[in-house]
Amino acid sequence: MRKRPQVVIVGAGFGGLGAAEQLAHVPVEVTLIDRHNYHTFQPLLYQVATSLLNAEDVGAPVRSMFRHQENVSFRLGTVTGIDVPGHKIRPEDDKEIAYDYLVLAGGATVNYFNTPGAAEHAFPLYTLMNAVKLRNRILERFEAADRDPELIKEGALNFVIVGAGPTGVETAGALSDLFFNLLPHDFHQLATENARVIILDMGKEVLATFRENLRVYAKEELEERRVELRLGEAVTEVGPTFVRLKSGEEIKTHTLVWAGGVRANPLADMLGQPQGRGGRVKLSPDLSVPDHPEIFVVGDMGEVASDGKVLPQLGSVAMQSGEHVGRQIARRLGGEPGQPFKYWDKGFMATIGRGSAVVEFPNKRTLHGPLAYFAWLGVHLALLSGMRNRIETLWNWGWTALTHDRAARIIIEPKDDESQAFPKSVA
Ligand SMILES: Cc1cc2nc3c(=O)[nH]c(=O)nc-3n(C[C@H](O)[C@H](O)[C@H](O)COP(=O)(O)OP(=O)(O)OC[C@H]3O[C@@H](n4cnc5c(N)ncnc54)[C@H](O)[C@@H]3O)c2cc1C
């Protein structure tokens, strides 16, 4: 019997999942490989970092997602090389995997723009482990300041966020709720009112890609929530206890969250193909690589365009581009010509803290305030993978709304595991 065409998909993010699901009824064998055994719902990572949700609520096991799709095999591994002429990918510590079609969906990674000290001292927010590390740091700094209040003068309770886009704004709003509404009840001796949340951005606006009325609303809401906005300020250096600005000013901080930019996954550099802004691979209209029609790039890694316009790096763009590529592979197998990608714009939204959000619809109409916040809750709940995650998330949100409590207020240090580690000879 003739072997079915092999489709290898690298990355089980929104793009990779979209492609794999679209291939459900296509006569191909799909290998979906990811460095984690779960899909991460990035839009809610800031809620893990700020103790609103448990890590497990925003991670869904990939194997369980494809339990009923038999043409998909999952492989846990990190891809470290691509043999483009040989049609193979190289996972670390594993044998090469051959492909007839390759779908690269590795997403994006943090871009520090070569800022000295940022890679060593800043906290990015792109993976579940990033979110857990940030949560540990936040809670641990409050514990440290409780033991030694002198640390407050050293900046232990100053939390600086670089980037006034949706991730920065959402994180700042959630930190403000945590610091000024919840932690004062936990720390009876600590002057929690001395905590500071500061957003730094080179640009002059918060949520710069949103319409003006929403930008004005977001700024006012943040200020009301005691978030300090330092706009038009560039970061020149990050240290363990400070951040230095272009003006020469130094702000004391032990925790700097980097929400200031992304670049395409380094896998994009391995193709040897032209790359656009942020290292995104330049693509043909059907999302294949111009010199290699058997390779497709979807989501944040690619310069995904619709009607000639390069699209922003969003979950919906990644999901739809993945689905499109799944359809293109099916068409190629059926001998049909490729089709250009067409994006269905559903608008975008961001929260600014409890009870407050902004929504911009595709027809440019806007919504803000509590109604927008409930719309945001509904959309994100619907988009989460898996019923169990939805129920747990709804439960956590409901619990927080009723009690002002946050379930995931625990410090889990990786070093706690050391006593349980397998001896080397057994592992
Ligand atoms: C904090 C944050 C908040 C966001 N909020 C929103 C929002 O509110 N709305 C919105 O629309 N978008 C939001 N986004 C953007 C959105 O999450 C991304 O656009 C989307 O996840 C991109 O999907 P993707 O499939 O391209 O990549 P990803 O979802 O990043 O998936 C990439 C996958 O590839 C895997 N991978 C990477 N490298 C390798 C390798 N070498 N080997 C094996 N596996 C690998 C990763 O583990 C990951 O599972 C947010 C992003 C972040 C970081």
Side-chain angles (χ1 to χ4, degrees), residues 11 13-15 34-35 42-43 77 79 105-107 125-126 265 299-300 314-315 318:
F14 291 108
D34 199 290
R35 61 187 170 193
Q42 286 182 340
V79 177
L125 198 51
Y126 293 95
N265 186 295
D300 286 1
L314 290 174

Side-chain angles (χ1 to χ4, degrees), residues 10-17 33-36 38-46 77-80 104-108 125-127 166-167 170-171 262 265-267 270 298-302 312-319 321 347-350 376 380 383:
V10 182
F14 291 108
L17 293 184
I33 179 163
D34 199 290
R35 61 187 170 193
H36 302 124
Y38 53 83
H39 161 75
T40 305
F41 191 77
Q42 286 182 340
L44 291 180
L45 283 178
Y46 82 92
T78 301
V79 177
T80 50
L104 290 174
L125 198 51
Y126 293 95
T127 65
T167 302
E170 291 187 327
T171 308
V262 294
N265 186 295
L267 290 172
M270 293 177 191
V298 302
D300 286 1
M301 256 185 87
Q313 286 154 303
L314 290 174
S316 48
V317 173
M319 178 65 86
S321 60
F348 35 102
M349 44 178 46
W376 182 94
H380 284 75
L383 290 175

Side-chain angles (χ1 to χ4, degrees), residues 280-335:
R280 295 161 80 182
V281 181
K282 289 198 172 285
L283 300 170
S284 302
D286 69 348
L287 307 185
S288 63
V289 173
D291 289 349
H292 290 278
E294 74 284 6
I295 304 179
F296 294 88
V297 183
V298 302
D300 286 1
M301 256 185 87
E303 210 172 65
V304 176
S306 174
D307 293 324
K309 207 175 127 220
V310 175
L311 298 166
Q313 286 154 303
L314 290 174
S316 48
V317 173
M319 178 65 86
Q320 290 182 37
S321 60
E323 289 167 354
H324 172 83
V325 161
R327 282 192 295 273
Q328 297 318 298
I329 292 173
R331 289 178 70 87
R332 292 246 192 115
L333 292 171

Side-chain angles (χ1 to χ4, degrees), residues 179-404:
F179 297 168
F180 306 126
N181 295 326
L182 197 157
L183 292 187
H185 302 290
D186 281 13
F187 289 88
H188 302 144
Q189 313 298 332
L190 180 64
T192 49
E193 68 277 9
N194 288 321
R196 293 172 68 193
V197 182
I198 304 159
I199 295 184
L200 293 175
D201 198 296
M202 277 198 316
K204 297 269 189 219
E205 307 265 13
V206 289
L207 298 183
T209 54
F210 286 67
R211 285 181 85 79
E212 193 189 348
N213 64 324
L214 299 182
R215 298 201 296 265
V216 171
Y217 169 80
K219 184 167 180 283
E220 286 171 2
E221 276 290 304
L222 287 168
E223 284 170 341
E224 199 153 299
R225 288 159 194 262
R226 296 182 47 192
V227 175
E228 299 170 40
L229 297 173
R230 304 290 305 273
L231 303 172
E233 298 271 18
V235 173
T236 54
E237 190 186 346
V238 182
T241 56
F242 69 88
V243 52
R244 187 162 296 125
L245 309 182
K246 200 169 174 197
S247 59
E249 186 190 348
E250 200 175 280
I251 300 174
K252 288 181 178 170
T253 176
H254 298 186
T255 315
L256 181 133
V257 182
W258 194 275
V262 294
R263 96 167 294 292
N265 186 295
L267 290 172
D269 309 335
M270 293 177 191
L271 288 176
Q273 294 293 312
Q275 289 166 266
R277 211 165 147 223
R280 295 161 80 182
V281 181
K282 289 198 172 285
L283 300 170
S284 302
D286 69 348
L287 307 185
S288 63
V289 173
D291 289 349
H292 290 278
E294 74 284 6
I295 304 179
F296 294 88
V297 183
V298 302
D300 286 1
M301 256 185 87
E303 210 172 65
V304 176
S306 174
D307 293 324
K309 207 175 127 220
V310 175
L311 298 166
Q313 286 154 303
L314 290 174
S316 48
V317 173
M319 178 65 86
Q320 290 182 37
S321 60
E323 289 167 354
H324 172 83
V325 161
R327 282 192 295 273
Q328 297 318 298
I329 292 173
R331 289 178 70 87
R332 292 246 192 115
L333 292 171
E336 293 173 79
Q339 295 168 314
F341 174 60
K342 267 222 166 298
Y343 178 57
W344 177 26
D345 184 1
K346 297 177 185 168
F348 35 102
M349 44 178 46
T351 56
I352 306 160
R354 223 157 75 102
S356 172
V358 290
V359 179
E360 187 168 320
F361 294 103
N363 59 8
K364 302 291 174 211
R365 290 176 83 109
T366 61
L367 188 66
H368 59 73
L371 206 57
Y373 183 69
F374 284 111
W376 182 94
L377 290 178
V379 166
H380 284 75
L381 203 59
L383 290 175
L384 258 179
S385 296
M387 192 51 78
R388 190 193 64 84
N389 287 16
R390 283 188 205 127
I391 292 169
E392 283 196 12
T393 299
L394 190 60
W395 163 258
N396 278 324
W397 285 346
W399 179 260
T400 303
L402 289 174
T403 63
H404 286 228

